[in-house]
């Protein structure tokens, strides 16, 4: 195949659009896709401060790289989740990325600041901490962004992530989540920062190709807690379908966003506005105590009982 831009030999094939690019032209194509989504979905403007949620993986580092190359004012934020060696290695990759480019990386150390780590949050039924970990991440990215005056939090969710989430929500008919799934989550409270996903139409393969061609040094291994997660099974199924029908994932997600979402209650996006402030931490919530504060209590208890066991 020939490169769609320069007609030289191609290196990266985009099967769903039957095009391909060489390694020299590919990064510009990728960044054009990102820019086009930012503009089309009115994610943010050039004069706004963006906080990128960084994990040390290819998606978040590719996003941070693309945004800075496109001239946006984007700082990073990393949460030390306390997941053993994996966390240490992903922290090192995130710090190296920032320092090599002179970028600002904010950090929160969960154990130090909150008295628990993600492995203290295992769910009794699933045996996994992922649902709670998601709450931890959303809470701290939002809080740091709001406290430091950023106008938007950008995450590296790609097409594969979004299609797998959609698949899971359809499988379980999570109508509430379906109504909220999209590339932009508006702010409905002064302490709730706007959330955006500029890579949502780019596949994991396309993001990986960008990271490799741009020589980004990212952590290759997956979080050890992800093993056996339902989302991985959904991704596997969607990949098998994609092999047979190039463009299936894209059609599934984009078709839903264009047509399906509006048919779901709450799908036109004006989220709950009856938010008040958590009596303990002051963050927006619908109840008296926010979900994070309740969960953090459980985490601290678990962490203390583990420490007592070791002391014996
Ligand atoms: S970091 Fe957290 Fe993920 Fe690890 S514990 Fe689960 S949710 S798998 S993206
Ligand atoms: Zn709270």
């Amino acid at each position: 195949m020939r490169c769609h831009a320069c007609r030289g030999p191609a290196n990266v094939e985009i099967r769903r659009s039957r095009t391909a690019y060489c390694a020299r032209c590919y990064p510009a194509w990728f960044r054009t896709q990102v820019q086009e989504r930012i503009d089309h979905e009115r994610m943010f403007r050039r004069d706004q401060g963006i906080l990128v949620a960084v994990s040390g993986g290819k998606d978040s580092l590719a996003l941070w790289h693309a945004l800075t190359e496109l001239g946006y004012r984007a700082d990073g934020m990393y949460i030390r989740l306390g997941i053993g060696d994996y966390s240490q290695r992903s922290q090192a990759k995130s710090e190296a990325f920032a320092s090599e480019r002179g970028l600002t990386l904010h950090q929160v150390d969960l154990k130090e600041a909150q008295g628990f780590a993600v492995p203290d949050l295992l769910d009794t039924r699933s045996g996994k901490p992922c649902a709670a970990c998601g709450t931890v991440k959303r809470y701290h990215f939002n809080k740091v962004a709001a406290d430091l005056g950023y106008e938007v939090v950008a995450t590296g969710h790609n097409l594969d992530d979004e299609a797998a989430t959609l698949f899971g929500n359809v499988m379980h008919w999570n109508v509430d989540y379906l109504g909220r799934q999209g590339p932009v989550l508006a702010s409905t409270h002064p302490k709730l920062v706007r959330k955006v996903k500029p890579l949502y139409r780019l596949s994991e393969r396309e993001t990986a190709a960008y990271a490799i061609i741009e020589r980004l040094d990212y952590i290759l291994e997956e979080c050890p807690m992800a093993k056996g997660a339902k989302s991985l099974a959904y991704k596997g199924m969607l990949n098998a379908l994609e092999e047979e029908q190039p463009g299936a994932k894209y059609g599934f997600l984009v078709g839903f966003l264009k047509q399906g979402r509006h048919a779901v209650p709450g799908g036109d996006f004006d989220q709950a506005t009856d938010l008040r402030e958590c009596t303990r931490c002051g963050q927006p919530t619908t109840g008296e105590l926010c979900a994070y504060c309740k969960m953090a209590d459980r985490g601290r208890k678990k962490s203390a009982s583990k420490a007592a066991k070791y002391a014996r």
Side-chain angles (χ1 to χ4, degrees):
M1 277 189 108
R2 301 254 135 211
C3 172
H4 190 66
C6 74
R7 311 310 302 163
N11 306 96
V12 189
E13 190 187 354
I14 318 291
R15 280 180 76 201
R16 70 181 138 83
S17 55
R18 297 212 188 102
T19 49
Y21 290 88
C22 71
R24 267 203 311 170
C25 296
Y26 182 77
W29 173 81
F30 184 93
R31 288 192 288 266
T32 305
Q33 301 300 305
V34 175
Q35 183 70 68
E36 197 262 332
R37 281 299 101 195
I38 294 170
D39 296 343
H40 189 269
E41 300 287 340
R42 298 192 182 150
M43 290 185 176
F44 41 76
R45 300 187 310 265
R46 280 181 193 279
D47 60 338
Q48 291 182 309
I50 304 151
L51 188 67
V52 180
V54 173
S55 70
K58 64 179 181 328
D59 302 304
S60 57
L61 293 185
L63 172 62
W64 199 5
H65 184 271
L67 292 181
T68 52
E69 290 286 309
L70 288 167
Y72 287 99
R73 202 152 51 82
D75 294 341
M77 169 161 166
Y78 177 86
I79 306 177
R80 299 181 190 170
L81 300 169
I83 308 175
D85 293 349
Y86 165 77
S87 280
Q88 275 160 16
R89 283 195 286 273
S90 62
Q91 181 187 332
K93 297 284 185 197
S94 307
E95 287 173 350
F97 181 92
S99 70
E100 280 160 22
R101 292 165 180 82
L103 298 168
T104 301
L105 180 69
H106 303 286
Q107 296 200 44
V108 167
D109 187 315
L110 208 54
K111 187 88 186 181
E112 223 174 81
Q114 302 284 318
F116 68 92
V118 161
D120 297 320
L121 302 172
L122 295 182
D123 178 84
T124 40
R125 260 187 304 161
S126 68
K128 303 226 155 283
C130 294
C133 180
T135 304
V136 166
K137 290 194 267 191
R138 278 190 299 276
Y139 180 90
H140 287 289
F141 287 134
N142 181 72
K143 188 169 185 315
V144 168
D147 289 351
L148 300 179
Y150 289 94
E151 278 146 306
V152 60
V153 171
T155 58
H157 292 96
N158 59 39
L159 174 63
D160 296 52
D161 299 323
E162 292 300 284
T165 302
L166 174 60
F167 191 83
N169 285 336
V170 170
M171 275 289 285
H172 300 100
W173 291 117
N174 287 330
V175 179
D176 282 1
Y177 289 125
L178 278 175
R180 263 179 279 152
Q181 184 167 357
V184 175
L185 206 56
S187 164
T188 51
H189 185 281
K191 287 188 180 174
L192 215 49
V193 178
R194 184 177 175 80
K195 312 285 175 334
V196 299
K197 302 170 184 170
L199 307 185
Y200 80 103
R201 285 196 184 194
L202 289 154
S203 72
E204 194 162 317
R205 215 178 127 261
E206 288 155 12
T207 309
Y210 181 79
I212 292 165
I213 292 170
E214 288 289 15
R215 297 178 196 277
L216 308 186
D217 185 16
Y218 61 87
I219 185 161
L220 281 164
E221 66 196 273
E222 291 273 353
C223 168
M225 305 273 178
K227 262 191 210 108
K230 281 189 197 143
S231 59
L232 290 185
Y234 299 150
K235 280 187 180 176
M237 283 176 44
L238 290 165
N239 282 338
L241 188 65
E242 183 78 24
E243 271 298 308
E244 299 281 322
Q245 299 175 23
K249 264 185 271 192
Y250 184 89
F252 179 51
L253 180 76
V254 174
F256 167 75
L257 294 174
K258 282 191 177 157
Q259 295 166 42
R261 190 175 64 188
H262 307 292
V264 176
D268 274 326
F269 261 28
D270 281 315
Q271 314 267 313
T273 38
D274 50 348
L275 291 174
R276 50 182 170 148
E277 295 187 0
C278 169
T279 48
R280 191 182 302 167
C281 74
Q283 289 299 292
T285 175
T286 46
E288 196 166 304
L289 210 58
C290 74
Y292 176 85
C293 282
K294 286 186 208 154
M295 196 201 65
D297 280 345
R298 287 199 307 275
R300 280 182 208 112
K301 252 189 228 156
K302 187 71 194 256
S303 170
S305 78
K306 272 191 201 163
K309 222 192 228 163
Y310 286 126
R312 257 186 252 144

